[in-house]
Amino acid sequence: MSLDRRDFFRLAAKTAACAAATPRVAEARPSPKLPDEALGLLFDGTLCIGCRACMPACKEANGMPAERTPLEANGQTSAVWDAPLDISGHTLNVIKAWRDGTGLTKDVVHDGYAFTKQSCYHCVDPSCVSACPVSAMTKDPVNGIVSYSVDACIGCRYCVAACPFGVPRFTYDTPKPVISKCQLCRHRLANGEFAACATVCPTGATLFGKVKELKAEIARRRRLTPGSTTTFPRGRLGGTDSYVGRVGRYVPRVYGEREIGGTQVLHLSGVPFELLDKPELPDVAPAAISETIQHGLYYGLIAPATFLGILVAAARRNMIAAGKNPDANPPAVKP
Amino acid sequence: MTAHAAPAPVGGRLVTKTTVVLAGMMLAMGAVLVLRLVYGLGAVTNLNNGYPWGLWIAWDVTIGTALAGGGFSTALLVYVLNRGQYHPLIRPALLAALLGYLQAGLSVFVDLGRWWDFWHIFWPTYAQPSSVLFEVALCIMAYIVILMIELLPAVLERLHWQNARKRLDRVLFVFVAIGVLLPTMHQSSLGTLLVVFGPQVHPLYQSNLLPLLFLTSTVGMGYAAVTIEAAISSVGLERPFEKEILAKLLAIGRGLMGLFLFVRLCDVVYRGALSHTYTPSLPMFTFWLENALLSVPLWLLASKKNAQRAKYLFLSAMAMALGGIVYRLSAFLVAYQTGAGWSYFPSLGELTVTTGLIAFEVLGVIVAVRLLPILPAAPERTLTP
Ligand code: SF4
Ligand code: SF4
Ligand code: SF4
């Protein structure tokens, strides 16, 4: 074995030892808790009647343009006015329908159909916020709303790639692009209004409120007998509007309760969430893992500073102290 | 052993068939970039909301800078580990590194949707240090500056500014040290970039050890690139192939690739992803392809005799570089699966920009070695332009 190789690995081992020692100094990045006053939405798919009133309401509230949706029919492509099939750079909220076989009965798996909502989940530990290099994605410490600042954004699309729900969308079709995502209508809160989608929902399928109270409402619904009649709050929790309807036969899972550390938008459903294209996600937030690695390696810049110290000392010895002209042909053999 | 010949400009004509073709490729890139600026990214790329990062990030940045890794891994050997025998390689490696990083920086810049605000990354009120991308961007920018300083002696020599040269020599060690630290940081972080994607990255690729895997493969790829460049310039410029030195360099690279493969296998087992190594999928295929390529030097250079043969060295270097390329492309584009309905394949426009940037690098090398003292002077040079 050549001498250089041994030396190289000795240095590599030293460096690795330094690096390995640092994570012990640095705490694993703690997982954030749901803020006490966190605001959010409850989407109860068993109440949704698929009217899609929330879609144009969302557009109007957020000043989003209508979209032309190409529709293939009879071998021809026509343009249907604003019937987006998915969220996009110009659409923050869509209601999607799932169906099986004849699609006759609501909320059953065989020959049934169901509705689901797609919009931002306002994660407790959001990947988009962790990813954004310029603080354009931020999470409000009080109400937990994840907002976007176009003035800060540089359009790198790391948030688009990072969000496990595929929520942030980029406008590729313009030279002055932006990121589009639901910000829980935060601009309406100041006027005493709330999420436009929840405001217009006729059945309370989309319900706005404090996440803690929404969770209590979920627990209440799940205690009721499926098929019985009950009064559902409509619009927002604690408001005066209500809707009398049937209690759904819920699947046991509440989507958003534990996905990547929990979210502030929670979904109830009558059919399994896999059918509704909801991604299967771990409980631990990828943001927490990523930041634990970053903070572990760079905590207080101890590891980089130590490494730099070693490098400077070694380079100084070899380039200056030895009295050599650093860049002009040192002898091939170490003195 | 004798001292090495001092670096000297190669000289010769700048306008040749090759350089004209390269300039043409850059012109084509320029045309695409004009379209990009006027009509937006969608007009020239196949990027979409399922694949927001494409060729320009996966190739130009993660591969372009890894192949430029020879700059810091050779500096580490020469100046930090005091391996003087590698000295003839240092300036060519630094030059390749500078050009590689410049093209990566340029690529990121045109990839940014809101490029006019790119300075936000460096602005304290915007900076977000927990973001992996923040660190990568900062380190890459800083490293470009460091590389320029590291190459400054060549320029000063050329200008015969001996005093400035001497003064720079006294502090150069600081920049050399930073020039090893920064790539160590951001090359590992290029791997960490994927961690926040969580389950969107295939289990064969998603790992908490991504920073280590990216770092080890970068150093190996860097040595491979130095070898390949040396081989090409020995043929193209008719100068001796520094076989002994390169053999030692590749021996280190070989060790690192062995380490890479070992760590990766242990990690796959530890994470319980072993079943994915035989469950047919595209990531499974690329996983085996890159591992096979990276293991080529392990057996090709196994015997002392073969480890000295120019052909074997060149083949090993090619396999290492290719393996690293496949690894990065698959980690960022193949293993990144963001749900049904999304697909991505680079557009002609994206390819034109990437090839234009490669042309920029090659042209940069040609012009620089002809004008500046980069390559060691060949004793009796009979150069036919
Ligand atoms: S759903 Fe996506 S965009 Fe919304 S907060 Fe979570 S990570 Fe961010
Ligand atoms: S695209 Fe904008 S918001 Fe998203 S990560 Fe990049 S800078 Fe942040
Ligand atoms: S909260 Fe507002 S922005 Fe979000 S989906 Fe509802 S209407 Fe749209």
Side-chain angles (χ1 to χ4, degrees), chain A residues 7 129-135 151-158 161-162 170 172 175 177 294-295 298 318 325 327, chain B residues 38 42 48-49 52-53 79-80 82-83 85 91 111 113-114 117 120 126 128 130-131 135 165 169 193 197 200 336:
Chain A
D7 267 18
V129 172
S130 172
C132 181
V134 293
S135 316
D151 297 327
C153 178
I154 55 173
C156 68
R157 310 182 299 287
Y158 195 19
F170 183 79
Y172 292 93
Q294 278 302 87
H295 295 181
Y298 298 111
N318 297 329
N325 185 343
D327 207 41
Chain B
V38 177
N48 53 60
N49 282 311
W53 283 0
Y79 296 127
V80 178
N82 205 23
R83 296 290 149 218
Q85 72 264 40
R91 277 194 185 169
D111 187 76
R114 303 175 63 82
D117 277 338
H120 287 179
Y126 290 116
Q128 207 275 92
S130 289
S131 162
E135 188 228 314
R165 168 77 214 264
D169 281 353
L193 276 179
F197 296 171
Q200 296 179 94
Y336 180 67

Side-chain angles (χ1 to χ4, degrees), chain A residues 41 54 57-58 61-62 92-93 117 119 182-185 195-198:
Chain A
L41 297 174
C54 54
C58 173
N62 291 283
L92 308 179
N93 170 42
K117 181 183 197 291
S119 55
C182 153
Q183 302 179 55
L184 211 67
C185 286
C197 53

Side-chain angles (χ1 to χ4, degrees), chain A residues 131-145:
Chain A
C132 181
V134 293
S135 316
M137 290 286 181
T138 48
K139 186 169 177 69
D140 188 292
V142 178
N143 61 25
I145 293 178

Side-chain angles (χ1 to χ4, degrees), chain A residues 140-230:
Chain A
D140 188 292
V142 178
N143 61 25
I145 293 178
V146 177
S147 4
Y148 165 72
S149 157
V150 68
D151 297 327
C153 178
I154 55 173
C156 68
R157 310 182 299 287
Y158 195 19
C159 56
V160 180
C163 172
F165 303 101
V167 165
R169 302 281 164 124
F170 183 79
T171 50
Y172 292 93
D173 50 0
T174 143
K176 287 190 79 181
V178 296
I179 295 287
S180 304
K181 85 178 252 314
C182 153
Q183 302 179 55
L184 211 67
C185 286
R186 65 186 167 107
H187 60 292
R188 290 165 54 94
L189 299 179
N191 324 334
E193 295 174 314
F194 56 95
C197 53
T199 309
V200 300
C201 180
T203 62
T206 301
L207 183 67
F208 178 84
K210 286 187 184 163
V211 177
K212 288 204 165 145
E213 293 167 10
L214 290 173
K215 284 187 171 169
E217 172 66 12
I218 290 172
R220 180 186 80 89
R221 290 184 194 182
R222 293 171 52 141
R223 277 198 303 271
L224 299 171
T225 321
S228 63
T229 305
T230 189

Side-chain angles (χ1 to χ4, degrees), chain A residues 297-317:
Chain A
L297 292 174
Y298 298 111
Y299 176 77
L301 290 180
I302 295 172
T306 315
F307 187 39
L308 183 63
I310 298 172
L311 290 172
V312 170
R316 186 166 186 280
R317 191 191 68 205

